[in-house]
Amino acid sequence: MISQRNFWFILFIFTLLIFTLTLKIGYVNMSFKESFEALFFISDNSNISYLIWELRIPRMISAFCVGGVLALSGAILQSVLKNPLASPFTLGLSQGAAFGASFSIIILGSATFSIAGFDNISYVVIGAFGGALISSLFVLIFSTIKKINSQGLILAGVAIAAFFNAATMLLQYFSNDNQLAAAIFWTFGDLSKGKWTEILFVCSFWFLGLLFIILKGWDFNTIVWGDNHAKSLGVKVLSLRIYALLFSSLLAAIATAFYGIIGFVGLIAPHVIKLLFENPKHHFLFFSSSVLGGVFLMGADLLAKQVLSPITVPVGILTAFAGVPLFLFILIKRSLRD
């Protein structure tokens, strides 16, 4: 166990290290001097300035925001469902988004439109967002059935994921080669898909998510001791559970819609916090998990650039490799405890 002060200090050092290396390392390597000159607008090389400010920094901020959003969504789901295996990926939200994206690519095409001052919003993004919300609606319906416990809800998520996977494969079977390639490529979690507009969307929802936990953190603390205890303290447990499911689903949906499937971040970050701190309060659990998720995804993206350099591996592949062992570890640990 470490103190919260030491935790934030170590996390800050890691963030600074990853930030520095990300500026320097990539398909085109550069010196620290060149990268920092471009960062502070004192470089005479316009190509390096473009590389830093239009490619590397947006990708870095995307990683931090997407990781933060997915980790916050996972932490909320685990708390409200009282199940350590709950996450956007294990509940089928990511698979619903993949179906929505495939439907848009194969049936509707990849056209764009403008809304509320934002230009070139793709139908693929709307399709993925809609698919994730439909999946979350199924989860929400199952969660209101009294005889379904948290373990049963995870199994329901597995069934939802299987259904959307089958529907996606059906669409892909009747697609042409170009549509199939586009649909499969979308499922790779790739942080290069997002630019400043996408970052603004994701960061806005992240801010709303943090505001939600500030307002509802005390309520989450009470449900740890059981629904009846929480009700005796005036907490509307059913309303809290519904709002939490809807909001966490919305967070996961917006990140997945823009950046594809990046699994297990929402599973990894909250569990690392629970391993480092015994019985953390929910305000700290949610916020620290969110920040840790952002730093983790930044580090994973940096590794994705180097593991098969000069080829950049989609970051969703690396997070899956990291998440599967943790998922199995949690499953075995629960089985031994029970």
Side-chain angles (χ1 to χ4, degrees):
M1 300 294 175
I2 63 173
S3 67
Q4 292 186 16
R5 178 181 295 181
N6 289 339
F7 167 76
W8 289 119
F9 177 75
I10 293 170
L11 199 61
F12 173 76
I13 295 299
F14 268 105
T15 305
L16 194 61
L17 178 63
I18 293 169
F19 177 82
T20 304
L21 292 175
T22 301
L23 288 180
K24 179 183 183 298
I25 298 173
Y27 186 79
V28 177
N29 289 328
M30 62 185 72
S31 67
F32 287 113
K33 182 175 181 293
E34 289 175 324
S35 60
F36 280 100
E37 282 179 351
L39 178 65
F40 294 108
F41 302 102
I42 56 176
S43 174
D44 295 328
N45 191 326
S46 59
N47 291 330
I48 291 180
S49 297
Y50 177 84
L51 185 66
I52 292 294
W53 280 103
E54 297 299 327
L55 297 178
R56 292 188 180 176
I57 287 183
R59 184 180 181 119
M60 200 182 333
I61 297 175
S62 294
F64 187 71
C65 293
V66 171
V69 163
L70 293 176
L72 179 59
S73 176
I76 292 173
L77 287 172
Q78 289 171 25
S79 296
V80 77
L81 298 178
K82 299 179 183 178
N83 192 310
L85 299 177
S87 74
F89 190 77
T90 55
L91 289 176
L93 272 65
S94 299
Q95 293 80 0
F99 168 76
S102 296
F103 182 86
S104 297
I105 291 168
I106 296 168
I107 305 299
L108 302 179
S110 301
T112 61
F113 65 96
S114 301
I115 184 173
F118 293 100
D119 297 327
N120 298 323
I121 298 177
S122 172
Y123 282 114
V124 178
V125 170
I126 300 301
F129 183 73
L133 288 185
I134 291 172
S135 180
S136 67
L137 181 62
F138 282 119
V139 174
L140 186 62
I141 291 172
F142 280 113
S143 69
T144 59
I145 300 175
K146 292 183 178 180
K147 292 186 177 181
I148 292 184
N149 56 20
S150 59
Q151 288 78 14
L153 196 58
I154 294 295
L155 293 177
V158 172
I160 293 168
F163 170 79
F164 279 116
N165 279 335
T168 301
M169 287 189 288
L170 181 65
L171 284 173
Q172 292 174 352
Y173 182 77
F174 290 102
S175 64
N176 59 42
D177 291 343
N178 292 333
Q179 291 171 335
L180 180 62
I184 292 176
F185 178 76
W186 184 90
T187 60
F188 298 150
D190 187 3
L191 295 168
S192 65
K193 296 175 182 178
K195 303 301 179 185
W196 290 110
T197 301
E198 289 80 0
I199 290 171
L200 180 60
F201 265 108
V202 176
C203 285
S204 297
F205 277 87
W206 192 14
F207 174 78
L208 291 175
L210 294 174
L211 183 62
F212 175 76
I213 64 170
I214 290 172
L215 296 175
K216 297 294 184 180
W218 185 85
D219 292 348
F220 280 105
N221 287 333
T222 62
I223 64 174
V224 171
W225 305 104
D227 291 359
N228 291 331
H229 177 75
K231 289 177 182 177
S232 69
L233 295 174
V235 177
K236 297 179 181 178
V237 176
L238 181 60
S239 297
L240 176 64
R241 188 163 284 124
I242 291 174
Y243 289 143
L245 281 171
L246 282 175
F247 211 88
S248 58
S249 299
L250 187 63
L251 290 172
I254 196 71
T256 305
F258 283 120
Y259 294 94
I261 297 175
I262 302 175
F264 293 108
V265 177
L267 186 70
I268 294 172
H271 279 286
V272 171
I273 298 300
K274 292 173 185 176
L275 287 173
L276 294 175
F277 302 96
E278 187 176 359
N279 300 321
K281 297 295 183 182
H282 280 83
H283 283 104
F284 175 76
L285 172 64
F286 291 156
F287 186 73
S288 59
S289 296
S290 187
V291 176
L292 180 63
V295 176
F296 167 75
L297 196 57
M298 284 173 61
D301 188 50
L302 177 62
L303 182 61
K305 295 177 183 178
Q306 294 301 302
V307 66
L308 291 177
S309 181
I311 299 172
T312 299
V313 178
V315 71
I317 295 175
L318 288 188
T319 59
F321 274 121
V324 169
L326 178 63
F327 186 90
L328 294 175
F329 169 76
I330 297 168
L331 196 60
I332 293 170
K333 185 178 179 181
R334 283 172 60 87
S335 298
L336 292 175
R337 186 183 63 190
D338 296 338

